[in-house]
């Protein structure tokens, strides 16, 4: 199997240590065989980083260099940790601990609490937002729903950056954070939140890390016990490590350097939570003898998608951009990315839904299509649009698959059927293989060979059960001798790892929630200034993180990629929006960003601050009247706007001007452009001047033409008929623009 080949769902365990290396490309193999000293893997999107590090661990275990119980692999989500455990199991390296930072710390804290502190460990607070709300109420600070969520996020940031309540205002100011409320108020709420936890004997997830760090710092005997247990560490997504997590990692390591880190600074998108790529970027400074391997062969995306992704980062600025990786696609050519502009957001959603339905009709599975947006509030219009065209969907970040009532119920029924046995359970009569047994059991709870019509709760329930049926079919194809009990054990393993089977529906997700995932087709929607970058991204660093977020979205696509935006929010609204600056120079007809240009790309409110008035054009730079960008192209200067900025063209006036110009050209016996060029007519039809001075301010209307044609043009602009006059005088001395 080559590195570009998708692995089967249940692959066979490699026969030997050397067989673990089969199919790895040269760089992945270099990672897998670098088993001593510090190792830094700089891995671009789609380059097989998880494959490289899991094969590295498995090769070390299978060759006897590493003991499974001595390896701790940490990442950031339960899903990623579960996937890593599953891959290691399939490679014959079971027994390796693959956990999130929080779960690894919690496990150690629970074990050592009686020895380090004594008594029972405090209860873990599952949802801190309720306690934050109570803390705010006690401080007499009124928070609406959004402010409550944002203040909770600020408290989390303060804790992972090891900032105490009284230091929060100064720390937030130093980091340029835009606090949702007065920083002094947040500090008071934060302090009361900590007091309430102490009164109730509870801790939160950030406390788990803080307390584990405290125990390891204060109790050297406990720290040594942990270090004897874990002698080799692997950290995935290292660009997302917070200062607190880095401190915990250092305490786990002690004075050793048996550490392998994997990351990509260009995918740093969680700085608002305290994550920083500095640890990744400084790794070679801290470990001068480190082995550094770059993975740039992209096995996920077509050359067309990779070209757009590389172009997106080519204009990036800042320290993270200095270490960006130039990806090289290993796939055959695919379709070009599609760029589309819509009049309003409902039209954008409807157009996206139609295109999704077309892709499904062409053979792309619904589960291999995703619609990604900047914030979750954008999902509703797409949910409705997909429902209107009869396309099933699932919300990423909603209820977990194995926590759905129908899935829990199905698990109980399958477990009962497995215990009863094939011949003892009447509902399994005639079901000879495992998939047939599963279908028989689930048919009692609503599964049918064909999906129900429409969407809604009934369709959602059917999709969940159908996913279990497909999983059973895949499981038995890989393991023909498997029993129903084997399948139940597989489901239990997946549930503990939150490794859900594929649900046959289009995925709706925020760009942040899409990190680490991939689909055959991706629709990036809402790509207008103000949403991408988001309005509150003010500093250059914040804007660059928004660029990286869009990069993450682009690199989720394997083959089909669509990028769309709407000119207004609602039907009939003013078309004042413009597409994101990040696509300048990448989408057809747009100019490349100017080196050293302003990061904002727009004046206040997203529109230029161009003054209008009488007289000739002012000296100095001409700026777009929509976005404020300095214009250099002659045609754009004439229009007083960028070619790709929204137009307020009076189309009826433009047609009247063209008819009038054609008649004037006939009378003059000259080409039409000698009267006025198309660009000048467009500029007139957009500006609709009412006076001679306003008409004269339009580039292309010189003094001679103003005297000769001004009255006619102003009459047309006013909706009147132009006066008939002799225009046979020569106009050639004013050469038209090109």
């Amino acid at each position: 199997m080559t590195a570009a080949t998708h692995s089967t769902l249940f692959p066979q365990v490699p026969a030997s240590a050397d067989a673990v290396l089969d199919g790895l490309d040269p760089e992945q193999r270099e990672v897998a065989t670098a088993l001593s000293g510090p190792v830094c893997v700089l891995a671009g999107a789609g380059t097989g980083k998880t494959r490289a590090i899991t094969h590295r661990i498995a090769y070390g275990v299978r060759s006897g260099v590493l003991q499974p119980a001595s390896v701790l692999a940490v990442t950031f989500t339960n899903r990623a940790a579960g996937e890593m455990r599953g891959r290691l199991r399939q490679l014959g390296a079971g027994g390796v601990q693959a956990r999130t930072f929080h779960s690894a710390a919690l496990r150690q804290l629970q074990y050592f609490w009686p020895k380090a502190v004594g008594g029972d460990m405090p209860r873990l607070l599952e949802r801190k937002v309720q306690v934050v709300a109570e803390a705010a109420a006690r401080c007499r600070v009124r928070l609406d729903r959004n402010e409550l969520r944002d203040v909770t996020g600020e408290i989390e940031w303060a804790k992972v950056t090891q900032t105490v309540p009284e230091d929060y205002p100064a720390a937030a100011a130093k980091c340029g954070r835009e606090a949702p409320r007065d920083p002094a108020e947040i500090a008071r709420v934060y302090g009361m939140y900590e007091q309430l936890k102490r009164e109730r004997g509870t801790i939160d997830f950030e406390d788990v890390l803080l307390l584990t760090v405290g125990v390891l710092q204060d109790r050297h005997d406990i720290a040594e016990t942990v270090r004897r247990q874990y002698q080799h560490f692997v950290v995935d997504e290292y660009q997302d490590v917070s200062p607190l997590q880095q401190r915990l990692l250092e305490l786990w390591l002690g004075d050793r350097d048996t550490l392998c880190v994997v990351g990509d600074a260009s995918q740093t998108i969680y700085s608002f939570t305290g994550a920083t790529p500095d640890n990744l970027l400084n790794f070679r400074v801290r470990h001068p003898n480190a082995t550094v391997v770059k993975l740039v062969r992209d096995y996920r995306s077509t050359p067309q998608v990779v070209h757009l992704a590389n172009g997106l980062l080519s204009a990036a600025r800042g320290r993270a951009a200095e270490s960006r990786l130039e990806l090289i696609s290993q796939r055959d050519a695919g379709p070009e990315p599609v760029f589309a502009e819509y009049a309003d957001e409902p039209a954008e959603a409807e157009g996206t839904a139609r295109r999704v339905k077309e892709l499904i009709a062409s053979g792309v599975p619904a589960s291999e299509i995703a619609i990604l947006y900047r914030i979750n509030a954008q999902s509703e219009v797409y949910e409705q649009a997909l429902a209107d065209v009869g396309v099933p969907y699932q919300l990423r970040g909603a209820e977990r698959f194995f926590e759905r009532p129908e899935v829990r119920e199905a698990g109980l029924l399958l477990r009962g059927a497995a215990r009863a046995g094939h011949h003892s359970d009447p509902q399994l009569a005639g079901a000879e293989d495992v998939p047939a047994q599963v279908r028989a059991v689930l048919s009692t709870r609503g599964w049918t060979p064909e999906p129900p019509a429409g969407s809604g709760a009934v369709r959602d329930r059917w999709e969940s059960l159908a996913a279990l049926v497909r999983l059973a079919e895949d499981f038995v194809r890989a393991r023909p001798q498997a029993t129903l009990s084997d399948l139940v054990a597989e489901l239990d393993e997946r549930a503990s790892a939150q490794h859900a089977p594929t649900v046959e529906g289009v995925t709706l997700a925020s760009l942040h929630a899409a990190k680490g995932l991939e689909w055959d087709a991706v629709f990036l929607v809402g790509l207008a200034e103000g949403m991408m970058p988001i309005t509150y991204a003010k500093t250059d660093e914040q804007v660059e993180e928004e660029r990286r977020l869009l990069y993450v979205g682009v690199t989720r696509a394997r083959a089909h990629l669509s990028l769309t935006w709407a000119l207004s929010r609602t039907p009939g609204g003013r078309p004042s929006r413009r597409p994101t600056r990040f696509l300048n120079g990448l989408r057809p007809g747009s100019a490349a960003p100017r080196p050293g240009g302003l990061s904002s790309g727009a004046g206040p409110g997203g529109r230029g601050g161009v003054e209008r008035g009488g007289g000739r054009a002012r000296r100095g730079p001409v700026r777009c009247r929509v976005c404020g960008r300095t214009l250099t192209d002659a045609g754009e200067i004439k229009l007083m706007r960028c070619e790709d900025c929204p137009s307020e063209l009076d189309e009826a006036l433009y047609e009247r001007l063209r008819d009038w110009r054609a008649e004037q050209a006939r009378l003059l016996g000259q080409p039409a452009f000698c009267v006025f060029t198309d660009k000048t007519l467009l500029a007139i039809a957009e500006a609709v001047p009412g006076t001679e001075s306003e008409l004269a301010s339009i580039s292309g209307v010189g003094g001679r033409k103003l005297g000769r044609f001004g009255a006619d043009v102003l009459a047309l602009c006013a909706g009147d008929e132009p006066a008939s006059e002799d225009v046979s005088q020569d106009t050639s001395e004013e050469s038209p623009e090109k």
Side-chain angles (χ1 to χ4, degrees):
M1 183 173 67
T2 67
T5 304
H6 286 298
S7 61
T8 61
L9 189 59
F10 301 99
Q12 298 298 313
V13 175
S16 65
D18 287 342
V20 170
L21 303 177
D22 291 346
L24 299 181
D25 68 29
E27 293 79 22
Q28 292 171 341
R29 182 179 284 256
E30 185 179 356
V31 172
T33 54
L35 297 175
S36 62
V39 178
C40 180
V41 183
L42 301 175
T47 58
K49 68 178 179 62
T50 305
R51 177 180 176 82
I53 59 175
T54 51
H55 281 68
R56 177 182 185 272
I57 295 170
Y59 179 70
V61 169
R62 298 288 297 275
S63 63
V65 175
L66 304 176
Q67 295 302 310
S70 72
V71 180
L72 178 59
V74 288
T75 186
F76 286 84
T77 65
N78 288 324
R79 183 195 61 79
E83 180 185 356
M84 194 177 292
R85 286 196 297 273
R87 290 201 192 193
L88 290 169
R89 190 159 42 100
Q90 293 161 1
L91 291 169
V96 171
Q97 292 293 313
R99 297 181 174 275
T100 65
F101 270 101
H102 284 91
S103 66
L106 179 60
R107 194 163 181 257
Q108 293 174 19
L109 195 62
Q110 289 170 330
Y111 183 81
F112 290 111
W113 187 272
K115 181 177 180 180
V117 182
D120 295 331
M121 196 181 98
R123 180 172 56 87
L124 185 62
L125 190 66
E126 293 287 345
R127 283 177 52 80
K128 64 170 66 70
V129 69
Q130 295 168 344
V131 182
V132 173
E134 185 175 345
R138 288 204 183 185
C139 294
R140 298 189 178 182
V141 175
R142 295 178 62 87
L143 301 175
D144 63 28
R145 185 176 178 181
N146 290 331
E147 288 175 326
L148 179 60
R149 181 198 62 213
D150 293 342
V151 168
T152 301
E154 287 301 292
I155 291 174
E156 291 175 348
W157 172 81
K159 298 187 75 165
V160 300
T161 55
Q162 303 175 77
T163 303
V164 295
E166 54 267 29
D167 292 342
Y168 168 78
K174 182 179 179 181
C175 294
R177 293 184 73 80
E178 188 168 328
R181 292 291 294 257
D182 182 275
E185 285 184 330
I186 294 177
R188 293 207 321 272
V189 174
Y190 177 14
M192 179 57 68
Y193 167 76
E194 293 297 311
Q195 180 180 321
L196 288 174
K197 286 194 295 131
R198 287 193 298 271
E199 291 174 358
R200 296 168 184 180
T202 59
I203 59 175
D204 60 26
F205 280 102
E206 288 71 42
D207 291 328
V208 169
L209 298 181
L210 285 163
L211 288 167
T212 306
V213 165
V215 168
L216 296 178
Q217 284 181 160
D218 296 342
R219 292 291 300 268
H220 298 290
D221 56 331
I222 293 177
E224 285 307 313
T225 301
V226 172
R227 291 166 192 159
R228 283 195 299 271
Q229 170 70 48
Y230 296 118
Q231 298 166 19
H232 196 94
F233 298 86
V234 177
V235 184
D236 194 13
E237 304 288 5
Y238 193 54
Q239 77 278 353
D240 291 332
V241 167
S242 71
L244 183 56
Q245 290 164 333
Q246 176 64 23
R247 180 59 185 144
L248 178 59
L249 179 61
E250 291 167 355
L251 289 166
W252 282 340
L253 273 167
D255 57 3
R256 300 167 297 177
D257 62 0
T258 50
L259 171 65
C260 173
V261 300
V262 189
D264 178 9
S266 295
Q267 296 188 68
T268 304
I269 59 173
Y270 296 111
S271 66
F272 61 91
T273 67
T276 170
D278 289 347
N279 296 305
L280 176 66
L281 297 173
N282 294 334
F283 191 83
R284 282 171 286 184
V285 175
R286 295 195 310 274
H287 303 281
N289 61 329
T291 299
V292 179
V293 184
K294 293 184 179 180
L295 302 183
V296 296
R297 301 176 198 247
D298 188 323
Y299 297 103
R300 175 188 300 159
S301 304
T302 62
Q304 287 75 13
V305 173
V306 168
H307 177 72
L308 180 61
N310 286 337
L312 193 59
L313 286 188
S314 68
R317 300 291 181 267
R319 192 175 178 213
E322 294 170 4
S323 64
R324 63 179 175 264
L325 301 168
E326 188 85 7
L327 300 178
I328 304 170
S329 176
Q330 305 298 297
R331 294 193 55 182
D332 293 336
E336 290 290 337
V338 174
F339 299 86
E341 180 177 280
Y342 293 90
D344 51 65
E345 289 182 4
E348 183 181 8
E350 290 165 9
T352 300
R354 285 195 302 271
R355 178 62 181 136
V356 165
K357 192 166 186 178
E358 291 170 2
L359 278 177
I360 294 173
S362 72
V364 180
S367 59
E368 286 296 345
I369 301 174
I371 299 174
L372 307 181
Y373 33 76
R374 178 61 180 84
I375 59 174
N376 287 320
Q378 293 172 271
S379 75
E380 185 177 359
V381 67
Y382 291 93
E383 293 177 54
Q384 185 61 55
L386 291 172
D388 288 345
V389 297
V391 171
Y393 63 86
Q394 57 177 329
L395 282 170
R396 180 87 189 164
E399 188 178 33
R400 289 178 174 178
F401 179 83
F402 287 104
E403 293 173 3
R404 297 176 185 175
E406 65 270 21
V407 174
R408 291 202 304 268
E409 184 182 23
L412 291 173
L413 291 172
L414 291 171
R415 188 171 290 105
R419 280 199 302 267
H422 181 203
H423 300 292
S424 303
D425 192 332
Q427 68 184 358
L428 299 184
E432 295 300 327
D433 59 14
V434 171
Q437 293 167 21
V438 171
R439 287 191 288 267
V441 171
L442 299 187
S443 64
T444 67
R445 290 297 182 271
W447 179 83
T448 56
E450 295 297 323
S455 59
V458 173
R459 178 61 181 256
D460 291 344
R461 179 183 175 87
W462 184 90
E463 292 289 355
S464 297
L465 299 179
L468 294 174
V469 171
R470 287 192 297 273
L471 180 68
E473 293 167 349
D474 291 335
F475 185 69
V476 171
R477 271 197 294 272
R479 303 179 188 176
Q481 305 306 314
T483 65
L484 188 57
S485 295
D486 295 330
L487 176 64
V488 169
E490 175 68 24
L491 289 174
D492 288 342
E493 176 71 25
R494 283 171 167 261
S496 66
Q498 287 300 328
H499 184 192
T502 300
V503 174
E504 201 54 49
V506 173
T507 298
L508 295 176
S510 70
L511 287 164
H512 283 101
K515 179 77 163 58
L517 304 175
E518 59 185 81
W519 295 269
D520 284 344
V522 169
F523 291 79
L524 300 176
V525 299
L527 300 183
E529 286 286 324
M531 191 60 73
M532 176 56 66
I534 199 77
T535 305
Y536 51 74
K538 304 291 187 186
T539 67
D540 288 343
E541 292 81 3
Q542 291 167 338
V543 170
E544 284 305 310
E545 181 150 336
E546 293 287 298
R547 182 194 301 277
R548 295 193 295 269
L549 186 58
L550 181 56
Y551 172 78
V552 166
V554 168
T555 55
R556 300 311 94 194
R558 297 193 191 106
H560 303 277
L561 179 62
S562 173
L563 305 98
T564 64
W565 57 92
L567 297 180
S568 70
R569 184 171 181 271
T570 56
R574 186 177 183 182
S576 57
R577 293 178 175 177
R578 61 188 301 252
T580 174
R581 72 195 74 169
F582 298 143
L583 297 181
N584 287 346
L586 301 176
R587 59 187 177 84
S590 65
R594 295 165 298 145
L598 293 174
S599 64
S600 65
R607 298 184 65 84
V610 179
E611 296 179 3
R612 310 212 31 124
R616 296 296 299 160
R618 301 174 304 281
R619 293 182 180 274
V622 179
R623 299 188 183 278
C624 172
R625 66 173 184 270
V626 178
C627 71
R629 182 175 72 86
T630 300
L631 303 177
T632 55
D633 178 78
E636 291 185 340
I637 291 173
K638 186 172 292 295
L639 290 175
M640 292 290 288
R641 65 170 175 83
C642 306
E643 285 277 9
D644 53 332
C645 275
S647 166
E648 297 177 355
L649 174 69
D650 184 331
E651 294 185 7
L653 173 59
Y654 181 60
E655 290 303 316
R656 290 199 304 274
L657 287 167
R658 284 174 59 87
D659 292 344
W660 166 84
R661 183 184 63 173
E663 178 61 18
Q664 301 305 307
R666 185 186 67 77
L667 293 173
L668 287 168
Q670 293 182 350
F673 64 76
C674 289
V675 180
F676 286 122
T677 65
D678 286 346
K679 283 283 172 57
T680 300
L681 290 189
L682 277 171
I684 293 169
E686 288 184 5
V688 194
T691 65
E692 280 196 3
S693 61
E694 289 177 354
L695 179 59
S697 69
I698 295 173
S699 178
V701 183
R704 185 180 296 274
K705 287 187 178 181
L706 181 66
R708 187 166 302 151
F709 301 125
D712 280 7
V713 171
L714 289 173
L716 288 166
C717 289
D720 300 328
E721 289 298 320
S724 162
E725 62 179 54
D726 181 11
V727 294
S728 59
Q729 302 172 52
D730 181 35
T731 61
S732 60
E733 62 186 83
E734 292 190 62
S735 60
E737 77 281 0
K738 301 298 181 187

